[in-house]
Structure formats: structure tokens, C-alpha cells
Amino acid sequence: MSTNPLLCEIDTDGTATVTLNRPEVHNAFDDDLIARMSTLFHELGRNDQVRVVLLTANGKSFSAGADLNWMRRMADYSEEENYQDAMRLADMLRTLNELPKPTLALVNGAAFGGGVGLAACCDIVLAAPTVSFSLSEVKLGIVPAVISPYVVAAIGARAARRYMLTAERFSAEEGQRIGLVSEIVPADVMRRRGNEIANLLIRNGPKALHECKVLIRTVSGGPLDQAMIEDTARRIARIRASAEGKEGLGAFLEKRQPLWISK
């Protein structure tokens, strides 16, 4: 197996598959892996050939969160050093959360701590029936601070109050009930199902998909007031007048495939 802790393959259809490749430590991440993920996510976001990003992992676990050796090093850091270290993780998660391409997590094994954060940053999450999740930070006397904006957005404050405070494990079924998991899929067909969803996404306008992601973040975080109503009207007006918007409407009226769909 490759010693590269992070793998990436880009198919001819524009699907980029990013694979965490530290199975010997349950795909826990340290400062090196965080830096690699941050760089890769930036590159994928800028790559016009990439249409969809799939995030998965090799081995039995999706991600156990923070690597123990990394945590041991952090124990000797000053508060300022800890802050800078946490900001690097925060920047990576924000880059994933705001990636201008649809993101799909294939959670094929346990996801703890930061592993839950990775899943929460993705637009769609598939999980195997046997997967377990845990926001386990308080067991170590720390808090899931950096991942909290994404986790709370995914599962809501009420569920966060339970699972962040108890640190108990919860199932894929419970993850689906509280909003973390989009769909429960048997492990042996998860990649196939992921590709099916990726194919659906690729048929949609790439700029429209990006604008949709920004739209969702905007309307979910602000009050339904006149400013928001006017903002949404401006957004649709801008998209309708764009080259992609005109091409999509023209293709529909002419009963043909839009140009962004590969022949």
C-alpha cells in the first residue's frame, strides 16, 4: 500500500476521489495530513475539470479524529502555539465546507471527533449500517470547538447538546435521524451508490451548484427580512443572465443536453 497519507484520483467524468490513507492509525489526522488536505482541497476547488469530490478512507475506520502522537506534542504547546495549530485545522475544514464543488462523504467505518467534523463539512454523507460516530472530545478534557460550527449546522443544537456532552457513540441510523447522515448504504455497494449520486450532480450546472452552496449557507444563517428577500432575487437574476443560465434554459427549450454534460 502507498505510504502517501492522502490519495487523490480524478476520473475522466470529473469525479475526484480523495482517500484518507492512514489505516494503521484509523485515519487519524495530524498536522501533516491537515496541511495536505488543505492544499488538496484548495487545488480541487480551483480545478475546472473537477465536478464532484468524494471523500473516503482506506481501512476499517473513516477517521478517528486527532492522532495521539500529534496530541502528545500539542500537550507541550503554549496557548498561542495551540491557537495557531487549531487555526490550521479550522482553515482546512472551512475549505472543505466551502468547496465550490459538491462534496460526498463515503463513511465506511467509525468516525470519531474530527472525523465527524469531516463528514459534517460534506454536502452529502453516505454511511455503512455498522458505522458508529462519537463526538468524544470531552472524554479527554477538551471540547470539539473547531468542528462545532459544521456539526451543529448538520445535527442542530439540541442533538449537539446530547452528543457533545455525553461523548457516547451513536449509530448510522441515529446519525441519519439527527441529520448527519444522508443515506445508509451497505458497505459493499457504497462506492457504486456514491458514483450514482456523483453522476446526478455532474448533470447539473457547475456554477449553479456552487451558487446553490453559497445560497444555502446565506439563507440558513440570516433572518428572513427584506434584505434577504432582495438578495435572493438578485442572485436568481444574476444566474438567469449568466452564460450558464442561458445555456441551461436554451437546452431545456430545445430538448437537448446542456454543454456541461459530457457526450
Side-chain angles (χ1 to χ4, degrees):
M1 181 177 290
S2 170
T3 57
N4 191 334
L6 188 67
L7 308 176
C8 181
E9 295 181 359
I10 301 176
D11 295 340
T12 56
D13 66 357
T15 299
T17 301
V18 177
T19 305
L20 304 179
N21 190 38
R22 303 186 76 210
E24 70 282 0
V25 291
H26 299 280
N27 296 306
F29 43 80
D30 57 9
D31 47 357
D32 175 65
L33 183 57
I34 289 168
R36 289 171 183 264
M37 285 194 286
S38 186
T39 298
L40 179 58
F41 293 149
H42 277 293
E43 291 174 352
L44 294 176
R46 293 191 296 264
N47 188 342
D48 290 338
Q49 301 305 310
V50 173
R51 300 287 306 281
V52 179
V53 176
L54 272 59
L55 178 62
T56 188
N58 284 329
K60 296 181 178 180
S61 300
F62 178 71
S63 177
D67 180 272
L68 290 177
N69 290 324
W70 180 43
M71 294 178 69
R72 289 190 184 99
R73 294 201 308 273
M74 286 190 291
D76 295 325
Y77 286 2
S78 67
E79 182 175 342
E80 178 59 26
E81 289 171 325
N82 267 287
Y83 170 74
Q84 295 298 331
D85 194 74
M87 279 302 300
R88 286 187 283 272
L89 173 60
D91 288 341
M92 182 273 287
L93 292 171
R94 183 175 183 177
T95 302
L96 175 59
N97 186 68
E98 298 182 2
L99 204 74
K101 320 291 172 70
T103 52
L104 179 60
L106 308 182
V107 183
N108 53 339
F112 293 168
V116 178
L118 285 176
C121 286
C122 291
D123 301 313
I124 301 169
V125 177
L126 306 185
T130 56
V131 163
S132 60
F133 298 92
S134 177
L135 294 157
S136 53
E137 285 83 353
V138 292
K139 284 187 174 182
L140 305 177
I142 56 178
V143 294
V146 175
I147 67 172
S148 63
Y150 315 107
V151 173
V152 173
I155 70 175
R158 193 62 181 171
R161 285 188 177 196
R162 173 175 177 175
Y163 291 112
M164 285 186 179
L165 297 178
T166 65
E168 66 189 289
R169 296 189 183 192
F170 58 93
S171 66
E173 184 177 1
E174 175 66 0
Q176 186 176 41
R177 188 189 72 81
I178 62 178
L180 178 64
V181 174
S182 309
E183 190 174 325
I184 298 174
V185 181
D188 59 345
V189 298
M190 181 176 291
R191 185 54 190 269
R192 185 177 72 193
R193 179 58 179 149
N195 288 336
E196 289 174 352
I197 296 175
N199 288 335
L200 290 175
L201 293 165
I202 288 170
R203 297 184 66 82
N204 302 326
K207 292 181 180 178
L209 288 170
H210 178 206
E211 291 287 346
C212 262
K213 293 186 64 166
V214 176
L215 175 66
I216 292 164
R217 289 198 301 270
T218 301
V219 301
S220 64
L224 180 54
D225 55 14
Q226 186 63 26
M228 178 175 286
I229 290 170
E230 292 177 1
D231 178 68
T232 58
R234 290 191 188 99
R235 288 174 189 272
I236 186 59
R238 185 177 71 252
I239 292 297
R240 284 175 180 169
S242 71
E244 182 174 288
K246 290 179 178 179
E247 166 61 17
L249 181 58
F252 175 76
L253 294 174
E254 296 164 16
K255 296 182 171 56
R256 59 174 176 83
Q257 298 280 25
L259 294 177
W260 60 75
I261 296 180
S262 300
K263 302 300 183 184

